[in-house]
Protein backbone atom coordinates (compact mmCIF):
# COMPACT_ATOMS: atom_id res chain seq x y z
CA UNK A 1 0.00 0.00 0.00
CA UNK A 2 1.26 3.51 -0.87
CA UNK A 3 1.88 5.11 2.56
CA UNK A 4 1.69 8.81 1.53
CA UNK A 5 -1.84 10.10 1.05
CA UNK A 6 -2.95 13.23 -0.77
CA UNK A 7 -3.54 14.92 2.58
CA UNK A 8 0.06 14.36 3.65
CA UNK A 9 1.69 15.44 0.39
CA UNK A 10 -0.02 18.05 -1.79
CA UNK A 11 2.92 18.72 -4.13
CA UNK A 12 2.39 16.46 -7.22
CA UNK A 13 6.06 16.52 -8.19
CA UNK A 14 7.27 15.58 -4.73
CA UNK A 15 4.60 12.91 -4.43
CA UNK A 16 5.74 11.38 -7.74
CA UNK A 17 9.35 11.34 -6.58
CA UNK A 18 8.39 9.72 -3.28
CA UNK A 19 6.32 7.14 -5.15
CA UNK A 20 9.24 6.19 -7.44
CA UNK A 21 11.52 5.89 -4.42
CA UNK A 22 8.97 3.76 -2.57
CA UNK A 23 8.58 1.47 -5.59
CA UNK A 24 12.34 1.16 -5.95
CA UNK A 25 12.73 0.13 -2.31
CA UNK A 26 10.01 -2.51 -2.63
CA UNK A 27 11.52 -3.91 -5.84
CA UNK A 28 14.95 -4.00 -4.22
CA UNK A 29 13.47 -5.93 -1.29
CA UNK A 30 11.99 -8.50 -3.69
CA UNK A 31 15.33 -8.85 -5.49
CA UNK A 32 17.14 -9.35 -2.17
CA UNK A 33 14.64 -12.02 -1.07
CA UNK A 34 15.01 -13.88 -4.38
CA UNK A 35 18.81 -13.65 -4.11
CA UNK A 36 18.70 -15.00 -0.53
CA UNK A 37 16.47 -17.91 -1.61
CA UNK A 38 18.80 -18.73 -4.52
CA UNK A 39 21.84 -18.69 -2.23
CA UNK A 40 20.08 -20.88 0.34
CA UNK A 41 19.13 -23.48 -2.28
CA UNK A 42 22.64 -23.42 -3.72
CA UNK A 43 24.15 -23.91 -0.27
CA UNK A 44 21.80 -26.85 0.37
CA UNK A 45 22.77 -28.53 -2.91
CA UNK A 46 26.47 -27.99 -2.20
CA UNK A 47 26.07 -29.44 1.29
CA UNK A 48 24.41 -32.58 -0.13
CA UNK A 49 27.12 -32.93 -2.78
CA UNK A 50 29.88 -32.48 -0.22
CA UNK A 51 28.27 -35.12 1.97
CA UNK A 52 28.05 -37.52 -0.98
CA UNK A 53 31.65 -36.86 -1.99
CA UNK A 54 32.80 -37.41 1.59
CA UNK A 55 31.14 -40.84 1.58
CA UNK A 56 32.62 -41.58 -1.83
CA UNK A 57 36.11 -40.60 -0.71
CA UNK A 58 35.87 -42.97 2.21
CA UNK A 59 34.78 -45.94 0.08
CA UNK A 60 37.10 -48.42 -1.64
CA UNK A 61 34.86 -49.02 -4.65
CA UNK A 62 33.01 -47.07 -7.37
CA UNK A 63 30.45 -44.49 -6.30
CA UNK A 64 28.01 -43.58 -9.08
CA UNK A 65 26.25 -40.20 -9.16
CA UNK A 66 23.89 -39.33 -12.04
CA UNK A 67 22.19 -36.06 -12.95
CA UNK A 68 19.16 -36.07 -15.26
CA UNK A 69 17.98 -32.92 -17.07
CA UNK A 70 15.00 -32.26 -19.36
CA UNK A 71 14.11 -29.17 -21.40
CA UNK A 72 10.94 -28.44 -23.39
CA UNK A 73 10.94 -26.48 -26.66
CA UNK A 74 7.76 -25.44 -28.50
CA UNK A 75 8.29 -26.27 -32.20
CA UNK A 76 4.88 -25.29 -33.53
CA UNK A 77 1.27 -25.32 -32.48
CA UNK A 78 0.47 -28.70 -30.95
CA UNK A 79 4.04 -30.08 -31.00
CA UNK A 80 6.72 -29.82 -28.31
CA UNK A 81 10.29 -31.18 -28.34
CA UNK A 82 11.78 -32.65 -25.15
CA UNK A 83 15.58 -32.83 -24.87
CA UNK A 84 16.83 -35.22 -22.18
CA UNK A 85 20.43 -35.51 -21.00
CA UNK A 86 21.92 -37.70 -18.29
CA UNK A 87 25.41 -37.20 -16.87
CA UNK A 88 26.98 -40.09 -14.96
CA UNK A 89 29.96 -39.58 -12.63
CA UNK A 90 32.12 -42.09 -10.78
CA UNK A 91 33.08 -40.33 -7.55
CA UNK A 92 34.55 -43.47 -6.00
CA UNK A 93 38.07 -44.88 -5.96
CA UNK A 94 37.63 -47.89 -8.27
CA UNK A 95 36.41 -48.62 -11.80
CA UNK A 96 32.79 -49.60 -12.50
CA UNK A 97 32.38 -52.22 -15.25
CA UNK A 98 29.52 -53.08 -17.63
CA UNK A 99 27.78 -49.76 -17.00
CA UNK A 100 24.25 -49.60 -18.40
CA UNK A 101 21.73 -46.76 -18.42
CA UNK A 102 17.95 -47.29 -18.60
CA UNK A 103 15.44 -44.45 -18.91
CA UNK A 104 12.39 -46.17 -20.40
CA UNK A 105 9.66 -44.55 -18.30
CA UNK A 106 8.34 -42.32 -21.09
CA UNK A 107 4.70 -43.01 -21.88
CA UNK A 108 4.21 -43.99 -25.52
CA UNK A 109 0.78 -42.33 -25.40
CA UNK A 110 2.49 -38.98 -24.89
CA UNK A 111 6.02 -39.20 -26.35
CA UNK A 112 7.67 -40.39 -29.54
CA UNK A 113 11.43 -40.92 -29.78
CA UNK A 114 12.87 -38.79 -32.58
CA UNK A 115 16.62 -38.93 -31.85
CA UNK A 116 18.83 -41.31 -29.85
CA UNK A 117 17.81 -44.10 -27.49
CA UNK A 118 16.49 -44.23 -23.94
CA UNK A 119 19.11 -46.84 -22.98
CA UNK A 120 22.88 -47.05 -23.39
CA UNK A 121 25.80 -49.25 -22.31
CA UNK A 122 29.51 -48.70 -21.72
CA UNK A 123 32.31 -51.12 -20.99
CA UNK A 124 33.66 -49.23 -18.00
CA UNK A 125 33.65 -45.99 -16.04
CA UNK A 126 36.94 -45.22 -14.34
CA UNK A 127 37.24 -43.48 -10.99
CA UNK A 128 36.93 -39.72 -11.40
CA UNK A 129 35.61 -40.05 -14.97
CA UNK A 130 32.19 -39.14 -16.40
CA UNK A 131 29.82 -40.33 -19.13
CA UNK A 132 27.01 -38.49 -20.90
CA UNK A 133 23.97 -39.62 -22.85
CA UNK A 134 21.17 -37.68 -24.50
CA UNK A 135 18.07 -38.27 -26.60
CA UNK A 136 15.07 -36.33 -27.87
CA UNK A 137 11.34 -36.94 -27.73
CA UNK A 138 8.32 -35.22 -29.22
CA UNK A 139 4.95 -34.76 -27.55
CA UNK A 140 1.63 -33.89 -29.14
CA UNK A 141 -0.64 -34.49 -26.15
CA UNK A 142 -1.37 -31.82 -23.57
CA UNK A 143 -0.72 -33.20 -20.09
CA UNK A 144 1.45 -32.94 -16.98
CA UNK A 145 4.05 -35.72 -16.99
CA UNK A 146 5.87 -36.93 -13.90
CA UNK A 147 9.15 -38.56 -14.94
CA UNK A 148 11.00 -41.20 -12.95
CA UNK A 149 14.75 -41.22 -12.24
CA UNK A 150 16.97 -43.08 -14.69
CA UNK A 151 18.49 -46.38 -13.53
CA UNK A 152 22.21 -47.14 -13.82
CA UNK A 153 23.52 -50.67 -13.33
CA UNK A 154 27.19 -51.69 -13.07
CA UNK A 155 29.49 -54.40 -11.81
CA UNK A 156 32.50 -54.37 -9.49
CA UNK A 157 35.11 -57.17 -9.26
CA UNK A 158 34.65 -57.74 -5.52
CA UNK A 159 30.89 -58.45 -5.73
CA UNK A 160 28.95 -60.90 -7.88
CA UNK A 161 25.62 -59.08 -7.65
CA UNK A 162 24.73 -56.35 -10.14
CA UNK A 163 24.89 -52.90 -8.52
CA UNK A 164 22.27 -50.19 -9.07
CA UNK A 165 22.22 -46.41 -8.84
CA UNK A 166 19.56 -43.81 -9.65
CA UNK A 167 19.72 -40.39 -11.23
CA UNK A 168 18.24 -37.25 -9.81
CA UNK A 169 14.53 -36.81 -10.67
CA UNK A 170 13.16 -34.10 -12.95
CA UNK A 171 10.43 -31.58 -12.24
CA UNK A 172 6.92 -32.28 -13.58
CA UNK A 173 6.69 -31.48 -17.30
CA UNK A 174 3.73 -29.33 -18.30
CA UNK A 175 3.37 -30.49 -21.89
CA UNK A 176 1.81 -27.98 -24.33
CA UNK A 177 0.89 -25.66 -21.46
CA UNK A 178 -0.93 -22.41 -22.18
CA UNK A 179 1.65 -19.67 -21.73
CA UNK A 180 0.21 -16.20 -21.05
CA UNK A 181 2.07 -13.24 -22.56
CA UNK A 182 4.76 -11.70 -20.39
CA UNK A 183 3.72 -8.64 -18.40
CA UNK A 184 5.96 -5.62 -18.81
CA UNK A 185 6.14 -2.20 -17.19
CA UNK A 186 4.84 0.17 -19.87
CA UNK A 187 5.40 3.38 -17.94
CA UNK A 188 8.71 2.72 -16.22
CA UNK A 189 11.32 -0.03 -16.19
CA UNK A 190 13.13 -1.54 -13.24
CA UNK A 191 16.49 -0.56 -14.72
CA UNK A 192 15.42 3.06 -15.06
CA UNK A 193 14.28 3.21 -11.44
CA UNK A 194 17.48 1.55 -10.21
CA UNK A 195 19.78 3.77 -12.26
CA UNK A 196 18.06 6.97 -11.21
CA UNK A 197 17.41 6.13 -7.54
CA UNK A 198 20.36 8.28 -6.43
CA UNK A 199 19.11 11.15 -8.56
CA UNK A 200 15.63 10.84 -7.03
CA UNK A 201 17.09 10.89 -3.51
CA UNK A 202 19.03 14.04 -4.37
CA UNK A 203 15.89 15.75 -5.72
CA UNK A 204 13.91 14.78 -2.62
CA UNK A 205 16.69 16.14 -0.41
CA UNK A 206 16.81 19.38 -2.38
CA UNK A 207 13.02 19.73 -2.17
CA UNK A 208 13.13 19.17 1.59
CA UNK A 209 15.82 21.83 2.06
CA UNK A 210 13.83 24.22 -0.13
CA UNK A 211 10.67 23.71 1.95
CA UNK A 212 12.69 24.16 5.15
CA UNK A 213 14.30 27.42 3.98
CA UNK A 214 10.96 28.72 2.71
CA UNK A 215 9.31 27.95 6.04
CA UNK A 216 12.20 29.52 7.96
CA UNK A 217 12.10 32.72 5.90
CA UNK A 218 8.34 32.93 6.41
CA UNK A 219 8.72 32.61 10.17
CA UNK A 220 11.50 35.22 10.25
CA UNK A 221 9.35 37.59 8.14
CA UNK A 222 6.38 37.25 10.49
CA UNK A 223 8.69 37.78 13.45
CA UNK A 224 10.14 40.95 11.93
CA UNK A 225 6.66 42.34 11.21
CA UNK A 226 5.52 41.56 14.73
CA UNK A 227 8.59 43.28 16.17
CA UNK A 228 7.91 46.44 14.17
Amino acid sequence: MWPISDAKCKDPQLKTLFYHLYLNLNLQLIVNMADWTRKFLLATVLAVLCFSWTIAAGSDGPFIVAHKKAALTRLKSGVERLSVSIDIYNQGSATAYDVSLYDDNWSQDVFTIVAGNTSMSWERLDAGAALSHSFELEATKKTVFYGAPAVITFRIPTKAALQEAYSTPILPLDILADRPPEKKFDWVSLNTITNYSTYILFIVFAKTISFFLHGLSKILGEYSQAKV
Side-chain angles (χ1 to χ4, degrees), residues 84-154:
V84 182
S85 63
I86 303 168
D87 300 319
I88 307 171
Y89 307 89
N90 184 355
Q91 298 293 339
S93 58
T95 300
Y97 297 92
D98 298 330
V99 180
S100 295
L101 166 69
Y102 303 96
D103 193 26
D104 302 324
N105 298 301
W106 301 97
S107 174
Q108 296 182 358
D109 295 334
V110 179
F111 300 101
T112 302
I113 300 176
V114 294
N117 297 299
T118 57
S119 60
M120 189 65 182
S121 296
W122 299 270
E123 183 180 348
R124 58 189 290 161
L125 178 57
D126 294 328
L131 296 168
S132 252
H133 181 65
S134 61
F135 55 92
E136 292 185 346
L137 310 169
E138 277 190 4
T140 57
K141 182 178 180 180
K142 184 177 180 180
T143 185
V144 177
F145 182 80
Y146 298 87
V151 180
I152 300 95
T153 62
F154 59 97

Side-chain angles (χ1 to χ4, degrees), residues 3 13 18 23 40 49 56 82 85 96 110-111 123 125 141 143 147 152 159 168 174-175 178 180 189 195 216 218 225:
Q13 184 181 2
F18 270 118
L23 179 61
F40 176 77
L49 288 177
L82 177 64
S85 63
V110 179
F111 300 101
E123 183 180 348
L125 178 57
K141 182 178 180 180
T143 185
I152 300 95
K159 294 183 180 180
T168 55
D174 199 353
I175 310 296
D178 297 327
S189 66
N195 293 336
L216 182 61
K218 186 176 180 181
Q225 291 178 359

Side-chain angles (χ1 to χ4, degrees), residues 56-72:
S59 66
D60 56 355
F63 187 86
I64 303 299
V65 179
H67 179 42
K68 179 178 177 180
K69 297 174 289 185
L72 284 169

Side-chain angles (χ1 to χ4, degrees), residues 19 24 56 86-87 92 141 155 200 219:
Y19 183 77
N24 180 48
I86 303 168
D87 300 319
K141 182 178 180 180
R155 296 186 183 276
I200 292 172
I219 292 173

